[in-house]
Amino acid sequence: MSDELARAVHEALLARGETVAVAESLTGGALGAAITAVPGVSATFRGGVVVYATELKASLLGVDPAMLAARGPVDPDVAVAMAVGVRERLTATWGLATTGVAGPDPQDGHPPGTVYVAVAGPTDHHVSRLGLPAGAGRAALRSMTVDAALGLVRDAVLRGKTSA
């Protein structure tokens, strides 16, 4: 499904003359890989930042270190801050971010399958909590997250805004 969603994102962005950049944690580059599998995507994809280590979310994306210390990296506001940060730093119309727990072990009290995806656009942002099946395994959780993130940005671009 990622191929179809990535193509739909590219086509929607292309029709509007807009761009997207991604900030990835648990997907580890899989989101950017899905997007760049589409021919001609250089017209709409600005780039991506993989920030697996918590401190990189602050230093590379501008996520407030106090928020990271208080809430940890698996948090809806962290996801939004990542999306805003990558949008600004890579000068894209849209920023898209993923953060969560792929497992097999819990992280900071969050079980595997706790995932947040966020999109930040020209006027506002939206974040979704994904309660994915913990027993699905790392690869499946990451794949489901990529699909959810692509769907989120596709819908935001097609609406022309990010509010739900």
Side-chain angles (χ1 to χ4, degrees), residues 32-146:
I35 291 170
T36 58
V38 177
V41 77
S42 60
T44 60
F45 183 62
R46 294 285 299 155
V49 179
V50 176
V51 286
Y52 218 68
T54 299
E55 69 273 9
L56 293 179
K57 292 169 180 65
S59 64
L60 295 178
L61 296 175
V63 177
D64 181 2
M67 178 171 47
L68 286 165
R71 300 180 187 181
V74 182
D75 179 84
D77 292 333
V78 169
V80 169
M82 290 171 62
V84 169
V86 79
R87 178 181 179 267
E88 292 172 353
R89 282 164 174 73
L90 276 63
T91 62
T93 314
W94 302 91
L96 184 59
T98 65
T99 188
V101 184
D105 300 318
Q107 180 181 345
D108 298 329
H110 300 287
T114 304
V115 175
Y116 296 96
V117 294
V119 61
T123 59
D124 67 356
H125 61 270
H126 181 73
V127 62
S128 291
R129 182 187 190 283
L130 310 178
L132 301 176
R138 286 181 60 81
L141 290 173
R142 290 173 46 155
S143 177
M144 288 183 266
T145 301
V146 167

